[in-house]
């Protein structure tokens, strides 16, 4: 009877999800309610976790509850620490949830709400969640080894070396771009700086509380952290309004860059239980709490999606970024669907914290689903805005014009009415001087989020509070990528240097920790400092590389995952990773080619450099822009070439194993029985 009831419940969820997806995909004419997107997401995620992740767990990975994890066997109190599964979930979610799920869907909304929504849902369930889960479990079974070490051992020395060079280059670019976004979000923002700064001592207190004062009392420390974070948010508002205190937290970009570099070093060098894990767990309160509150606001308000399902810009002529839906929608939306950066966390900090092997399903697959939900909420936040308002905020001045009246006329001419007076009133309501030409996605998300919150909680009188809260929320999302990403980079550098001199490869030896932390921070810090000093802000040269690099990294991760699955003798299950890999190769290689060689100056790096060289007069800034374009093209070409080598070596190995010419051997750590199973039964 119970089985019949469960079957009926899941059949109902499937029917409801199909109805919601059908409404989103097929509805034309009248505008639809945002509730359909929320309903489709919840049903898709529920079915994906219940059935597909269970299939991956049982048939592909064969999770073993009796097997000791490296956190148990190699417990050193610093990097390898058996940690409560909810704390690990919080750390993993906070570490993977960076700028992508917030910014990418907002930018991709220029195509309409349909392409981005479908990619977020399908890409996450069959791609992103699978990648995170599989890489996490394979790293757990290999003493928490990094992605590059697994590539070297499982694919081959050449593939491993090339993968290392590609991954370390990609992670430096990702962290440099993410750090620059944090600086741009927090500069001259005393509210955001104060609240973000307060999360550090709060995290230290939580770490000491859970480690020394009340070990294992996760609920107590969770309540303590939640209360203190709420006080920090309230305190940030007070600080921003205090003439005496606000100047202390109103920092320049250069000052913030220096502070962030120091913080990245500290987060990498300090014991994981002291700062990294509790701070990321703490950040999860704000992140999931805010997303949950946003979902409640959507359910209560049931806002209408004013953006059409498809816009006129699907032809590639978009004002926010040029390029057609394929491949650029799938590059713009990375985190939230599938992100290579996640594989670094899944083979970096997280596998060293996992207490029991079956917990990898909840942490790997489940945390990625939570991030995908963030991307859905970001899509809604962008699409509840009037299209004219959306394009006025996100379109650069070079496309629509600098003057508000000119920009309004240009956008209205596209069929999306907007007025300069209306935009001025909106800017005043959120406490800004202007909202025209606020490119990058973050301001549009904040306006949409403030609109939803103020309509359901407090009205227009508190819209400015919600707007600045959203800006702080976005900065918190991005900053947690830096601490975990820097630590992962440190692990990778240690892995490589350990082949030169073994003590440098020991993650517990403090001289090695300090030296390798300094190296990785110096690498991404140089990108950050260059961006801060760039007269045009730096993000124009770093962000295109961010999207391409992220998906190239996912390509490497899925090559490693597919190789291990085939070598395990489970070739029939290989499509679980092979299909998303094939899609990513098609998307990423096409996007890379177009960004390098497309003759349209708004798309191709080299075409834009030629245009600048022929039409612009001499000057330092023009020369800098031309150099950045050519550098972007060169870096893109080098990264694509390296990833192509990894792909080719992987394919040759698969053919060799499947044809019987090569004896498959996986490099797992020896089986050791866990003591935790007996303790739980006792």
């Amino acid at each position: 009877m119970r089985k019949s009831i469960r079957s009926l419940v899941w059949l109902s969820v499937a029917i409801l999800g199909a109805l919601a997806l059908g409404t989103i995909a097929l509805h034309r004419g009248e505008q639809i309610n945002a509730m359909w997107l929320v309903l489709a997401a919840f049903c898709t995620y529920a079915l994906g976790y219940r059935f597909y992740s269970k299939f991956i767990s049982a048939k592909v990975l064969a999770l073993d509850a009796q097997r000791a994890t490296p956190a148990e066997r190699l417990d050193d109190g610093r990097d390898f620490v058996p940690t409560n599964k909810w704390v690990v979930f919080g750390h993993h979610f906070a570490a993977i949830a960076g700028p992508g799920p917030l910014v990418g869907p907002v930018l991709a909304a220029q195509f309409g709400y349909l392409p981005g929504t479908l990619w977020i849902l399908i890409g996450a369930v069959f791609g992103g969640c699978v990648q995170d889960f599989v890489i996490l479990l394979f790293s757990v079974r290999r003493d928490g080894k990094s992605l590059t070490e697994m590539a070297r051992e499982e694919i081959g020395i050449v593939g491993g070396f090339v993968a290392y060079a590609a991954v370390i280059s990609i992670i430096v670019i990702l962290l440099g771009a993410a750090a620059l976004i944090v600086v741009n979000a927090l500069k001259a923002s005393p509210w955001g700086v104060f609240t973000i700064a307060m999360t550090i001592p709060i995290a230290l207190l939580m770490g000491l509380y859970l480690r020394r004062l009340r070990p294992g009392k996760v609920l107590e420390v969770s309540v303590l952290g939640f209360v203190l974070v709420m006080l920090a948010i309230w305190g940030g508002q007070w600080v921003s309004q205090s003439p005496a205190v606000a100047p202390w937290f109103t920092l320049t970009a250069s000052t913030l860059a220096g502070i962030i570099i120091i913080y990245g070093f500290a987060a990498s060098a300090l014991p994981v239980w002291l700062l990294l894990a509790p701070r990321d767990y703490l950040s999860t309160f704000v992140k999931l709490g805010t997303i949950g509150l946003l979902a409640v606001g959507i359910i209560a308000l049931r806002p209408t999606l004013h953006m059409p399902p498809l816009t006129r810009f699907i032809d590639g002529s978009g004002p926010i970024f040029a390029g057609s839906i394929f491949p650029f929608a799938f590059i713009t939306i990375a985190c939230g669907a599938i992100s290579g950066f996640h594989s670094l966390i899944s083979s970096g900090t997280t596998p060293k914290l996992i207490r029991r092997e079956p917990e990898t399903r909840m942490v790997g697959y489940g945390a990625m689903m939570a991030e995908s939900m963030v991307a859905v909420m970001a899509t809604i936040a962008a699409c509840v805005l009037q299209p004219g308002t959306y394009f006025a905020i996100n379109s650069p001045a070079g496309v629509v014009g600098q003057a508000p009246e000119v920009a309004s006329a240009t956008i209205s001419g596209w069929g999306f009415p907007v007025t300069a007076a209306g935009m001025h009133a909106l800017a005043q309501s959120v406490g800004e001087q202007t909202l025209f030409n606020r490119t990058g996605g973050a301001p549009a998300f904040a306006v949409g989020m403030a609109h939803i919150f103020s309509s359901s909680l407090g009205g227009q009188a508190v819209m400015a509070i919600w707007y600045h809260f959203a800006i702080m929320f976005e900065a918190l999302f991005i900053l947690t990528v830096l601490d975990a990403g820097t630590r992962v980079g440190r692990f990778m550098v240690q892995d490589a240097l350990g082949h030169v001199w073994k003590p440098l490869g020991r993650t517990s030896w403090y001289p090695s920790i300090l030296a390798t932390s300094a190296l990785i921070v110096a690498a991404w810090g140089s990108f950050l400092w260059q961006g801060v000093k760039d007269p045009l802000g730096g993000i124009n040269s770093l962000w295109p590389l961010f999207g391409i690099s992220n998906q190239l990294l996912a390509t490497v991760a899925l090559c490693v995952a597919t190789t291990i699955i085939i070598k395990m003798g489970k070739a029939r299950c290989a499509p679980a990773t092979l299909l998303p890999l094939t899609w990513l190769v098609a998307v990423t290689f096409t996007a890379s080619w177009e960004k390098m060689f497309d003759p349209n100056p708004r798309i191709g790096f080299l075409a834009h450099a030629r245009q600048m060289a022929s039409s612009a007069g001499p000057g330092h800034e023009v020369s800098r822009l031309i150099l950045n374009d050519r550098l972007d093209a060169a870096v893109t070409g080098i990264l694509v070439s390296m990833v192509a080598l990894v792909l080719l070596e992987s394919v040759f190995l698969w053919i060799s194993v499947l044809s019987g010419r090569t004896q498959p051997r996986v490099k797992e750590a020896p089986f050791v029985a866990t003591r935790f199973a007996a303790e739980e039964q006792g």
Side-chain angles (χ1 to χ4, degrees):
M1 180 60 117
R2 288 184 178 179
K3 185 176 181 181
S4 299
I5 293 175
R6 285 198 299 268
S7 299
L8 184 60
V9 168
W10 285 112
L11 179 61
S12 301
V13 172
I15 293 173
L16 193 60
L19 176 63
L21 286 171
T23 301
I24 294 170
L26 302 176
H27 192 86
R28 297 293 184 272
E30 295 182 2
Q31 296 165 336
I32 69 169
N33 194 290
M35 278 291 295
W36 286 111
L37 272 66
V38 175
L39 188 61
F42 277 125
C43 292
T44 302
Y45 299 146
L47 292 166
Y49 189 82
R50 170 61 181 83
F51 296 103
Y52 196 52
S53 75
K54 187 175 181 179
F55 164 77
I56 300 292
S57 301
K59 302 299 183 182
V60 181
L61 303 177
L63 299 184
D64 188 352
Q66 302 302 316
R67 185 173 186 149
T69 65
E72 177 185 350
R73 292 185 292 101
L74 306 176
D75 186 359
D76 60 7
R78 181 179 294 109
D79 293 317
F80 292 87
V81 182
T83 306
N84 179 278
K85 64 181 179 180
W86 293 108
V87 176
V88 181
F89 179 92
H91 155 71
H92 190 76
F93 171 75
I96 65 175
L102 295 175
V103 174
V106 173
L107 300 179
Q110 77 164 0
F111 293 129
Y113 65 77
L114 179 59
T117 301
L118 293 180
W119 168 232
I120 289 167
L121 298 183
I122 297 171
V125 170
F126 296 105
C129 295
V130 174
Q131 174 205 246
D132 292 16
F133 181 17
V134 171
I135 293 295
L136 175 59
L137 188 277
F138 289 156
S139 181
V140 165
R141 288 185 176 170
R142 288 161 178 78
D143 292 338
K145 287 184 177 177
S146 67
L147 178 67
T148 53
E149 281 295 292
M150 290 193 289
R152 184 183 66 83
E153 292 183 350
E154 302 293 349
I155 297 177
I157 295 176
V158 175
F161 175 78
V162 174
Y164 177 82
V167 170
I168 199 68
S169 302
I170 289 168
I171 194 173
V172 167
I173 293 170
L174 293 178
L175 293 177
L180 186 58
I181 295 170
V182 173
V183 169
N184 289 339
L186 293 182
K187 64 183 179 183
S189 176
W191 184 353
V193 169
F194 176 83
T195 302
I196 296 296
M198 287 301 101
T199 62
I200 297 174
I202 293 172
L204 292 171
L205 175 62
M206 290 175 65
L208 291 170
Y209 189 96
L210 200 58
R211 182 79 172 181
R212 306 294 187 196
L213 301 179
R214 301 276 287 173
K217 302 297 182 181
V218 176
L219 180 60
E220 289 182 15
V221 80
S222 299
V223 173
L224 175 65
F226 177 78
V227 171
L228 292 177
V229 165
M230 292 302 103
L231 290 175
I233 293 172
W234 175 82
Q237 181 186 2
W238 175 82
V239 165
S240 68
Q241 297 173 351
S242 171
V245 181
W248 289 90
F249 294 93
T250 305
L251 305 179
T252 64
S254 298
T255 302
L256 277 169
I259 292 173
I260 288 173
I261 289 172
I262 294 170
Y263 169 76
F265 177 81
S268 176
L270 289 175
V272 69
W273 62 265
L274 181 60
L275 177 60
L276 184 67
R279 188 190 182 282
D280 287 349
Y281 183 55
L282 178 65
S283 300
T284 303
F285 282 123
V286 179
K287 293 177 176 182
L288 289 180
T290 303
I291 291 301
L293 194 61
L294 188 58
V296 170
I298 291 171
I299 292 171
L301 184 63
R302 296 186 296 279
T304 297
L305 298 179
H306 295 291
M307 187 70 71
L310 296 169
T311 70
R312 55 177 287 180
F313 301 119
I314 58 175
D315 62 356
S317 62
I320 298 170
F321 62 89
S324 56
I325 288 180
F326 181 88
F328 290 105
F330 309 100
I331 294 297
T332 305
I333 300 177
C335 300
I338 181 169
S339 167
F341 179 79
H342 297 188
S343 67
L344 301 182
I345 307 301
S346 293
S347 62
T349 53
T350 303
K352 298 173 176 64
L353 304 176
I354 291 288
R355 188 172 180 269
R356 301 289 303 281
E357 195 170 279
E359 294 171 6
T360 56
R361 178 188 178 195
M362 183 191 80
V363 174
Y365 200 97
M368 175 57 205
M369 281 202 317
E371 195 207 48
S372 185
M373 191 67 203
V374 173
V376 172
M377 294 300 176
T379 299
I380 293 172
C383 293
V384 296
L385 298 174
Q386 291 291 339
T389 301
Y390 167 85
F391 285 110
I393 295 173
N394 288 288
S395 299
V399 175
V400 297
Q402 184 71 48
E405 292 77 12
V406 175
S408 299
T410 301
I411 296 167
S412 297
W414 297 336
F416 305 119
V418 65
T419 64
M423 288 298 297
H424 179 69
L426 180 61
Q428 285 189 320
S429 70
V430 298
E432 294 286 343
Q433 294 296 318
T434 181
L435 286 173
F436 277 104
N437 314 135
R438 297 292 297 274
T439 58
F445 173 82
V447 172
M449 184 170 157
H451 169 74
I452 294 171
F453 278 160
S454 63
S455 298
S456 55
L457 299 168
Q460 291 294 313
V462 296
M463 190 164 179
I465 294 176
W466 285 120
Y467 174 83
H468 286 94
F469 173 82
I471 292 293
M472 180 277 299
F473 166 74
E474 291 177 284
L476 187 65
F477 249 84
I478 300 166
L479 196 59
T480 49
V481 168
L482 290 179
D483 47 31
T486 301
R487 201 176 193 92
V488 169
R490 188 253 287 180
F491 290 145
M492 292 171 57
V493 174
Q494 284 183 296
D495 284 341
L497 294 180
H499 297 294
V500 179
W501 187 39
K502 286 189 176 182
L504 289 175
R506 295 208 313 263
T507 57
S508 60
W509 191 44
Y510 241 102
S512 173
I513 291 172
L514 296 176
T516 51
S517 295
L519 283 174
I520 193 68
V521 169
W524 65 254
S526 62
F527 273 87
L528 169 61
W529 194 255
Q530 179 182 357
V532 167
K533 293 300 182 181
D534 190 324
L536 297 182
I539 201 65
N540 291 331
S541 59
L542 283 181
W543 188 257
L545 292 178
F546 183 97
I548 291 173
S549 299
N550 205 15
Q551 302 302 64
L552 287 174
L553 185 52
T555 302
V556 174
L558 290 171
C559 281
V560 173
T562 306
T563 299
I564 294 175
I565 291 171
I566 290 175
K567 291 172 72 175
M568 289 168 62
K570 298 186 177 182
R572 290 185 177 182
C573 299
T577 53
L578 186 58
L579 290 178
L581 170 61
T582 304
W583 173 252
L584 273 186
V585 168
V587 166
T588 312
F589 281 49
T590 302
S592 300
W593 179 269
E594 291 190 20
K595 289 303 295 181
M596 287 188 290
F597 301 117
D598 194 286
N600 183 347
R602 293 194 59 221
I603 299 176
F605 291 134
L606 296 178
H608 186 257
R610 289 193 296 269
Q611 183 188 59
M612 294 290 293
S614 62
S615 62
H620 176 71
E621 290 189 5
V622 172
S623 299
R624 182 93 178 214
L625 290 173
I626 293 173
L627 176 63
N628 286 344
D629 280 331
R630 290 172 177 169
L631 183 62
D632 284 351
V635 171
T636 301
I638 292 170
L639 291 177
V640 169
S641 299
M642 288 193 293
V643 173
L645 285 175
V646 175
L647 178 64
L648 288 174
E649 186 171 8
S650 300
V651 171
F652 290 146
L653 180 59
W654 302 342
I655 295 172
S656 182
V657 170
L658 293 175
S659 64
R661 294 197 303 270
T662 298
Q663 186 68 26
R665 294 178 183 175
V666 291
K667 304 290 183 66
E668 292 184 353
F671 176 89
V672 175
T674 178
R675 71 176 189 274
F676 292 138
E679 290 176 3
E680 291 173 0
Q681 291 173 359

